[in-house]
Amino acid sequence: MASILLKDLVKAYGQTEVLHQIDGRIEDGELVVIVGPSGCGKSTLLRMVAGLETVTSGEISIGDRVVNDLEPADRDIAMVFQNYALYPHMSVRENMAYGLKIRKISKAEINVRVEEAADILEIRPYLDRKPRQLSGGQRQRVAMGRAIVRDPQVFLFDEPLSNLDAKLRVQMRLEIRKLQQRLGVTSIYVTHDQVEAMTLGDRLMVLNGGYVEQFGTPIELYDRPATVFVAGFIGSPAMNFLPGHADNGEIALGNGVKIPGAPDAVGSVTLGIRPEHLAADPSGPLRISVSLFEHLGANTLLHGTLENTDTEIVASLPGHVTAETGSVLSFSANPDLLHAFDPETGRRI
């Protein structure tokens, strides 16, 4: 196994730079998720690690080797793609064995590796079937089995679950996490789904416009987001952002209401409050004019606007709360759970 070091990585197409000074170290045996919106550069970064994209400047090291100039086949990595990339005319067994066959590994060794991987992934009954005879989840298991049999230093996952239905995605991400922990292989996983990222990763690298916004554990990103972008991207439903003015340990909102918080901030701030940190409180200072309720079973999302403003706000409430549209409900927020950001830079205060 091996660690991965990304040092001052830049990727440009002509004069257009799409990845900017990417730095980060992925420890031996760690699963790091690269997460961000479409077009942020996460798949490009993964392909650079794989050797499928050239490096404009900077270094990629796997273990103790700088691999910038190595071909993909020489990097000792295995990649699992979004579209499975299985050979339709080959059986499951042949698909899993193909990479080993072209490396001239003995037939006996190939059989051992394929059957061990099939047992791990619970696909032994399907070894003689063609991919067209399998479900989407089974095909993805075959793709992972093909990666496992190679016994690589690094696994690279490029949005491998995006073609599956919602229920199967939940099941498969749990299986991928258990598999990675069992094998202990250093892994990079790319997704645009922040829930998938939070549940899978030891650490998350959040990309936005080709820049790393924050690199840390899921809890660090949830509890102390470094920027407005991270705060809005991590967490579901997304964090509320309210314009305000901080002074003397209080924040005055647009409607003149003052709430305690941001003791280190002075002047204009963007106040962040997670929907789940708003508590119904008849005497609370945050009064919300109700627009809509979303009943989700275990909890209910209240959508509305802060009273006497046009600032939209969402509260996540337990159970089956309801009220008339246009009515006003009062809430309070724990000052220790508030977030303050510089409205110009978007950085955490």
Side-chain angles (χ1 to χ4, degrees), residues 71-121:
E71 293 296 321
D74 299 324
R75 297 191 182 200
D76 200 10
I77 56 98
M79 197 161 181
V80 180
F81 297 93
Q82 174 180 344
N83 61 359
Y84 318 133
L86 301 177
Y87 296 108
H89 63 287
M90 293 184 182
S91 68
V92 168
R93 184 187 298 275
E94 290 167 335
N95 266 283
M96 291 172 65
Y98 184 71
L100 302 179
K101 184 177 178 181
I102 62 174
R103 291 163 64 189
K104 302 192 184 311
I105 292 174
S106 71
K107 188 173 182 180
E109 175 69 11
I110 289 174
N111 285 337
V112 168
R113 290 200 199 181
V114 167
E115 291 182 5
E116 284 180 351
D119 287 337
I120 290 171
L121 295 165

Side-chain angles (χ1 to χ4, degrees), residues 246-251 258-265 271 334-336 338 340:
D247 193 23
N248 294 323
E250 290 186 322
I251 299 176
K258 293 183 178 181
I259 61 174
D264 299 327
L271 173 65
N334 185 336
D336 294 334
L338 300 181

Side-chain angles (χ1 to χ4, degrees), residues 207-218:
L207 289 188
N208 179 31
Y211 291 93
V212 176
E213 293 270 342
Q214 192 169 355
F215 189 19
T217 67

